[in-house]
Amino acid sequence: MPQPFQAERLRSSLRPLAATTNLSAEGLAYQRYYGLDLPGQPQVRSRLGRFSSSGVELVSQLWLPPEPQGTLILLHGYYDHMGLYRHVIDWALGLNLAVLAFDLPGHGLSAGPRASIDDFAAYQQALQDLFAEAASLDLPQPWHLCGQSTGGGILLDFLLNGEPRPEPGAIVLLAPLVRPRAWGLSKLSYHLLSPFKSAIPRRFSANSTDPAFLDFLQHHDPLQPRTLPTAWVGAMARWIPRIERAQCSPLQPLVVQGEDDMTVDWRYNLAVLEQKFDQPNILRIPGARHHLANEHEDIRRRYFAFLSEHLR
């Protein structure tokens, strides 16, 4: 499958979202490639722009239904990017919500060392800068928050350790990261390897029951990183105790977790969430794996119904 866009060239051609009107030909090609043009929703307008966070140029994207009744702010997972979240975007638009998303530093169309970060605090700064983008666009309240995996971990950090302003609407956590599966072994490997290697080859896992998605991810997605930087693992190792030590919150997030998730330590993670929040509303799905945003249609239909009931 030919690549119809070049990430750096596309990013450099972008302006701030507030100043953006029509997408360029390359921007349109990018959206078509990932299905973000949403051909089933012709009334939806979209924008593609960029903003700066800690000196790094990040790419953001907005989808606007004709009369939105709120906004969903969407954070993707590690190795991911906005292009993989069309199912979540389509669902939110069906609830008449505007959708604002961005590629994390080092991911997708955004600049920065690929899939790496020196400190998870950079993710918090990027989130605050995204809130500033939402405010500059005067996006309708309430602002619901949704994060998959590492995106969910970023939201946890914001809710437990930050200054949750603006006050969030619903909080949706899809297979949120607190710590990954087999964390003890991974941490040992990091301490052994980090003095000698800056990165190790990435292993693609069967993190969804949708074989077409798995094939696309490994063979047809030009924005997929191919290494695991040890700096990112070190940053995560310093971040996990920060979440574990955080004070409790009266918020009640909506949590969706697959019981066949082999990426995060989901039993431990759910226990942490039940301790930190006031009766989080948890949906456990037997047979579902980690990448819930791209799980099989039957699984997506089940958890979207659960989320829709609470957001309405």
Side-chain angles (χ1 to χ4, degrees):
M1 190 181 297
Q3 179 180 341
F5 63 92
Q6 204 281 327
E8 290 185 14
R9 185 172 65 233
L10 176 54
R11 181 176 65 248
S12 64
S13 72
L14 297 174
R15 304 169 66 200
L17 275 182
T20 298
T21 51
N22 297 323
L23 287 172
S24 67
E26 194 164 31
L28 290 169
Y30 156 80
Q31 282 200 337
R32 282 194 300 270
Y33 191 81
Y34 291 105
L36 299 179
D37 53 343
L38 304 176
Q41 304 215 42
Q43 77 282 9
V44 171
R45 293 175 292 126
S46 65
R47 299 181 186 180
L48 187 65
R50 63 174 176 168
F51 65 98
S52 181
S53 181
S54 301
V56 179
E57 292 296 314
L58 306 181
V59 176
S60 56
Q61 204 157 174
L62 173 67
W63 294 264
L64 278 170
E67 296 182 2
Q69 300 301 306
T71 301
L72 184 77
I73 294 177
L74 178 60
L75 277 71
H76 65 73
Y78 186 58
Y79 285 138
D80 284 354
H81 55 89
M82 296 179 289
L84 302 179
Y85 283 73
R86 61 187 175 88
H87 299 306
V88 178
I89 295 161
D90 207 34
W91 160 75
L93 290 168
L95 295 180
N96 206 22
L97 298 174
V99 181
L100 178 65
F102 79 120
D103 286 341
L104 292 172
H107 290 74
L109 297 177
S110 290
R114 292 295 87 188
S116 193
I117 206 84
D118 291 328
D119 192 313
F120 270 41
Y123 291 147
Q124 289 305 304
Q125 185 59 56
L127 179 59
Q128 291 298 325
D129 292 332
L130 185 69
F131 288 150
E133 285 283 285
S136 73
L137 294 161
D138 198 24
L139 294 182
Q141 303 274 355
W143 291 356
H144 307 296
L145 307 177
C146 177
Q148 157 91 37
S149 191
T150 296
I154 294 167
L155 291 182
L156 286 177
D157 200 357
F158 166 67
L159 298 167
L160 294 173
N161 294 310
E163 292 287 338
R165 298 288 184 273
E167 201 71 34
I171 303 150
V172 177
L173 305 174
L174 304 176
L177 172 69
V178 176
R179 73 181 187 192
R181 182 173 175 267
W183 174 232
L185 181 60
S186 298
K187 189 160 54 171
L188 175 62
S189 299
Y190 162 73
H191 287 301
L192 292 173
L193 290 172
S194 58
F196 309 104
K197 288 184 175 290
S198 61
I200 59 175
R202 174 186 178 184
R203 291 185 298 174
F204 284 83
S205 61
N207 60 0
S208 166
T209 58
D210 183 346
F213 169 70
L214 296 177
D215 179 69
F216 177 80
L217 205 66
Q218 187 164 359
H219 302 294
H220 305 293
D221 185 0
L223 297 179
Q224 284 299 306
R226 298 287 163 169
T227 63
L228 171 61
T230 53
W232 190 88
V233 180
M236 180 176 62
R238 295 186 295 276
W239 173 82
I240 291 172
R242 173 177 166 85
I243 299 300
E244 294 171 332
R245 291 193 302 262
Q247 296 296 312
C248 296
S249 166
L251 296 171
Q252 296 179 307
L254 305 170
V255 183
V256 183
Q257 179 60 61
E259 294 188 348
D260 282 4
D261 190 331
M262 302 293 283
T263 301
V264 297
D265 188 348
W266 65 266
R267 288 183 176 86
Y268 174 85
N269 295 353
L270 291 186
V272 170
L273 295 184
E274 289 177 322
Q275 175 196 1
K276 298 296 181 185
F277 293 100
D278 181 18
Q279 298 181 323
N281 202 325
I282 299 173
L283 174 66
R284 288 172 49 168
I285 305 181
R289 298 180 188 172
H290 181 65
H291 210 298
L292 292 168
N294 283 283
E295 259 293 3
H296 189 275
E297 184 179 358
D298 291 343
I299 293 172
R300 297 198 311 270
R301 188 181 299 119
R302 179 177 173 185
Y303 74 74
F304 282 147
F306 164 78
L307 296 175
S308 297
E309 179 183 347
H310 288 85
L311 264 69
R312 287 197 179 102

